[in-house]
Amino acid sequence: MENKIRVLIPEDQVSEKIKEIGAKISEDYAGKEVHLICVLKGGVFFTCELAKRITVPVSLDFMSVSSYGSGTQSSGVVKIVKDLDEPLAGKHVLIVEDIIDSGRTLSYLIEILKQRGPADIRICTLLDKPSRRVKKEVQVDYTCFSIPDEFVVGYGLDYDQKYRNLPYIGAVEV
Ligand code: IMP
Ligand code: MG
């Protein structure tokens, strides 16, 4: 069954913004190396585009956590499905997320990653739904777009594993 998708943020605006955030990150990390942690699967499209816009040395690792079932509601249960390949000791870690909703996923991730001794941890997200935040202590360092409380797809984000490949951010019409 196909859903109706309305364009919320067109492709060229997403690209422009990623360029801008990439430049900002390059400035902030001048003289350092940045270790990007891509949160699978949703963060993968954003991570690739962002990494290309960062001019300081970049290393990449991937992690997969699950906090959602197949619907649009957070279960509140977060588990590591795939852990990182590399240690974090002494690294300047930048977690790259597709979207921050309740903040439960990130809050949990940060706690785990902190214990591995990185030099510092920052957070970069493509989208943020601030009105949905439950974990208020989660501080986001780089946000491309703050959006209203709508279920969105595209640019890595899925609805029942579909629509990740859309080159823009779309809202699912209900
Ligand atoms: P949180 O733990 O509630 O912050 O949820 C974070 C995760 O929920 C994201 O990484 C997404 O995988 C998923 N998610 C939250 N909102 C949306 C949405 O609007 N579309 C697609 N996935 C979403
Ligand atoms: Mg995610």
Side-chain angles (χ1 to χ4, degrees), residues 99-115:
I99 189 164
I100 303 171
D101 186 22
S102 69
R104 284 192 187 98
T105 310
L106 261 186
S107 161
Y108 173 85
L109 253 187
I110 291 164
E111 282 318 306
I112 293 183
L113 300 184
K114 261 188 193 164
Q115 295 167 19

Side-chain angles (χ1 to χ4, degrees), residues 30-67:
K32 297 175 186 161
E33 292 187 22
V34 59
H35 189 61
L36 300 184
I37 293 184
C38 170
V39 184
L40 296 170
K41 304 170 189 166
V44 78
F45 291 74
F46 176 43
T47 303
C48 293
E49 293 308 307
L50 181 69
K52 289 191 277 183
R53 304 301 177 186
I54 297 176
T55 53
V56 297
V58 166
S59 52
L60 271 178
D61 206 346
F62 299 87
M63 191 163 188
S64 181
V65 296
S66 81
S67 60

Side-chain angles (χ1 to χ4, degrees), residues 97-152:
E97 260 285 19
D98 50 356
I99 189 164
I100 303 171
D101 186 22
S102 69
R104 284 192 187 98
T105 310
L106 261 186
S107 161
Y108 173 85
L109 253 187
I110 291 164
E111 282 318 306
I112 293 183
L113 300 184
K114 261 188 193 164
Q115 295 167 19
R116 301 184 185 182
D120 45 58
I121 300 185
R122 288 186 189 167
I123 296 161
C124 179
T125 189
L126 177 61
L127 303 170
D128 188 4
K129 286 185 195 170
S131 65
R132 297 259 305 169
R133 195 78 86 257
V134 174
K135 295 282 183 182
K136 310 273 187 207
E137 71 276 12
V138 171
Q139 292 279 333
V140 186
D141 302 279
Y142 306 97
T143 302
C144 292
F145 302 97
S146 284
I147 58 165
D149 183 12
E150 286 193 85
F151 198 82
V152 291

